[in-house]
Amino acid sequence: MDSLISNTAAINGLLARFGVKFGIYKNGEFHEQLFPYDSLPRIISADEFAEIEAGLIQRVDALNAFLRDIYTEKRIVADDVIPEDFAFSSSGFLPACDNFVPPNGIYSHISGIDLVQAKDGTWYVLEDNLRIPSGASYPLIARKLARRASPETFKNNSVDRNDDYGLLLREAMESVNPGGRCVIMTPGRYNAAFFEHAYLAEMTGCPLVMHNDLFVQDNKLYFKSRSGSPQLVGALYRRISDDYLDPLTFKPESLIGVPGIMNAYRAGNLAIINAPGNGVADDKGIYYFVPKMIRYYLGEEPILKNAPTYLPFYEEDREYCLANIERLVIKDVAEAGGYGVLFGKDLNQEELEAWKVRIQTESRRFILQEVIDFIDLPVLEDGTVVERKCDLRAFVISSTNGTKVWHSGLTRFSRKPDSFVVNSSQGGGFKDTWILSR
């Protein structure tokens, strides 16, 4: 381990050289910066991970069942498990996807589930990411460089390998492919996660394409190969949001989408990974109902807990939020990346009163949660070990061969003392996640 720690700066240097960065837009300008790597890994025992794994599979299976249901029979609404006006007022519910089931009935092929561990050891799910979850490439390449820098570290520790992610992703794509090539679609160099797009294309052996490489003809999607001959596409791992995917269906001003791609999808000639319309399931308001989904669709008790969450949509929850706002976390249901999160303890009295009004008048827009004092992990900072808050993004892969959890994950940490916000967009760093094999 000492040789790994001593090579931290060298590994970060290589990560920078290889372009392992993320980009953010601030004040209308694109800024690219390094995602700092910390060589002290998060270590999870085999027994502890087995329970996490079972809970993640259960949760993602329920979420996929919900997506199939909400876009077809809508039984969960008819049975009043989720209120009708709450479900269909979600900005993530897309009428263009209604009454359609994607190839082999899988909606969320790659799910990024964000967890934290409380100081009593309990794991809580903070958020479900089912649209375009990113971040797998960072521990993937960091592990590769760490093995080169300190091979003895991995000889002396029984750590599950994580270099199978590309195989898991390719398996998921091929399992739903109705016929044609598998490709990865990027919006281009100035996307925040462009490095990941390129790296996963390399890991899966899939061509990396942009909108101008693709075209639709006779309700089939093709890409222009280097030879100039069109190649049929059967599975598209898209890394652009629903709104910009097809200017004929969604935003007409989109310059990075492919006209007619939704026609190819609805004709059954194309699998889109992840499926358009998944946003209805990772709406932070819908998160409140996931334990109920598990009971409803699977007939099981949830293995992993939600953070204690209150929905101002319900009068009883709204009254509790108004009475306790100063000690709760306020989250905008449509935001991501650490944006739209406020801690009541950080607001003055005037701000608290203003938020009480918003919670009453925009009750569908916000959830409130108890603050989970999740664990700190050791982080190297200028050669000194300090303690910082860390979360874990686990990656769950769903295919016709079942639901599998990648034996790794992205551990993000705050670089600010006492901060609970760990997102890269908010200045956080990352660690590798070691799952012990015994």
Side-chain angles (χ1 to χ4, degrees):
M1 184 68 80
D2 289 344
S3 60
L4 178 57
I5 293 170
S6 65
N7 278 292
T8 299
I11 293 172
N12 269 298
L14 285 172
L15 292 172
R17 180 179 173 185
F18 294 155
V20 185
K21 302 176 181 179
F22 67 92
I24 56 174
Y25 284 91
K26 193 172 184 179
N27 299 324
E29 296 181 355
F30 180 78
H31 298 272
E32 196 171 51
Q33 59 195 70
L34 294 175
F35 192 11
Y37 162 73
D38 181 71
S39 60
L40 295 174
R42 169 176 230 147
I43 300 174
I44 302 176
S45 72
D47 288 344
E48 184 174 24
F49 190 74
E51 183 173 0
I52 296 169
E53 185 172 33
L56 290 170
I57 290 171
Q58 178 193 62
R59 190 175 183 96
V60 170
D61 283 349
L63 285 163
N64 263 310
F66 166 71
L67 284 162
R68 284 192 295 274
D69 183 26
I70 202 68
Y71 281 115
T72 55
E73 296 179 345
K74 302 170 178 57
R75 292 183 295 113
I76 199 165
V77 170
D79 291 340
D80 203 29
V81 179
I82 301 178
E84 180 178 6
D85 51 349
F86 192 91
F88 297 123
S89 63
S90 170
S91 61
F93 181 82
L94 300 184
C97 300
D98 206 13
N99 297 311
F100 174 76
V101 178
N104 293 321
I106 299 172
Y107 286 77
S108 187
H109 312 80
I110 304 110
S111 306
I113 310 298
D114 293 344
L115 307 106
V116 294
Q117 187 177 27
K119 291 185 174 177
D120 66 359
T122 304
W123 285 90
Y124 291 93
V125 175
L126 280 189
E127 193 169 298
D128 304 295
N129 299 279
L130 310 180
R131 281 174 277 189
I132 317 172
S134 64
S137 62
Y138 298 113
L140 192 57
I141 192 170
R143 178 80 64 86
K144 183 177 182 179
L145 295 176
R147 280 186 172 276
R148 290 181 188 173
S150 182
E152 65 275 14
T153 295
F154 295 91
K155 288 180 182 177
N156 298 331
N157 293 278
S158 301
V159 182
D160 283 350
R161 296 185 68 95
N162 75 347
D163 53 5
D164 61 342
Y165 186 80
L167 293 174
L168 291 171
L169 179 55
R170 182 66 185 251
E171 177 186 55
M173 296 171 72
E174 292 287 10
S175 78
V176 295
N177 187 341
R181 296 285 300 275
C182 295
V183 302
I184 294 178
M185 180 187 183
T186 177
R189 172 70 184 80
Y190 292 104
N191 182 265
F194 178 74
F195 161 77
E196 176 155 288
H197 308 166
Y199 193 63
L200 292 180
E202 180 183 343
M203 292 297 98
T204 57
C206 297
L208 182 67
V209 300
M210 292 178 61
H211 68 284
N212 50 5
D213 300 312
L214 299 166
F215 66 95
V216 173
Q217 184 175 307
D218 298 327
N219 286 340
K220 294 182 179 179
L221 180 68
Y222 297 88
F223 83 95
K224 303 166 191 172
S225 66
R226 289 183 179 179
S227 67
S229 61
Q231 299 283 317
L232 179 66
V233 177
L236 180 87
Y237 179 21
R238 50 77 181 239
R239 295 299 297 256
I240 70 173
S241 66
D242 294 347
D243 285 348
Y244 295 93
L245 187 59
D246 186 341
L248 299 182
T249 302
F250 303 117
K251 285 184 179 290
E253 66 269 26
S254 172
L255 299 177
I256 57 173
V258 181
I261 196 171
M262 287 296 292
N263 290 337
Y265 175 61
R266 286 188 291 241
N269 297 323
L270 175 69
I272 298 179
I273 298 158
N274 280 339
N278 278 10
V280 68
D282 69 12
D283 178 309
K284 289 184 177 66
I286 296 295
Y287 160 95
Y288 177 92
F289 296 98
V290 176
K292 294 183 178 183
M293 290 179 198
I294 293 169
R295 297 184 186 102
Y296 182 76
Y297 293 116
L298 307 182
E300 301 170 358
E301 282 301 307
I303 297 169
L304 293 172
K305 295 182 178 181
N306 272 15
T309 303
Y310 307 100
L311 210 59
F313 180 85
Y314 291 124
E315 183 178 357
E316 183 179 353
D317 280 18
R318 183 167 62 249
E319 293 304 318
Y320 180 87
C321 292
L322 295 175
N324 296 278
I325 188 171
E326 68 281 352
R327 64 179 187 80
L328 299 175
V329 185
I330 307 166
K331 292 185 177 181
D332 189 319
V333 301
E335 292 282 4
Y339 296 101
V341 177
L342 290 170
F343 288 80
K345 64 182 179 59
D346 297 332
L347 303 175
N348 60 38
Q349 195 58 44
E350 183 179 351
E351 290 169 329
L352 287 171
E353 293 304 319
W355 269 104
K356 288 180 181 180
V357 173
R358 292 195 73 183
I359 287 166
Q360 292 181 84
T361 58
E362 301 177 74
S363 62
R364 175 59 178 86
R365 184 173 174 179
F366 302 102
I367 61 169
L368 285 85
Q369 295 179 323
E370 301 286 354
V371 178
I372 297 175
D373 188 11
F374 53 97
I375 65 172
D376 302 83
L377 292 178
V379 172
L380 284 172
E381 188 176 277
D382 299 325
T384 302
V385 176
V386 297
E387 299 282 321
R388 294 288 184 265
K389 298 292 182 191
C390 292
D391 78 347
L392 171 65
R393 173 165 291 183
F395 291 88
V396 185
I397 313 299
S398 301
S399 73
T400 55
N401 297 318
T403 305
K404 301 176 183 178
V405 180
W406 185 37
H407 280 217
S408 186
L410 176 65
T411 291
R412 300 175 294 186
F413 64 89
S414 171
R415 297 171 72 197
K416 300 176 183 178
D418 303 319
S419 174
F420 286 71
V421 181
V422 300
N423 306 72
S424 57
S425 58
Q426 307 297 309
F430 81 99
K431 294 172 170 287
D432 193 3
T433 305
W434 288 9
I435 311 303
L436 299 185
S437 52
R438 63 174 184 269

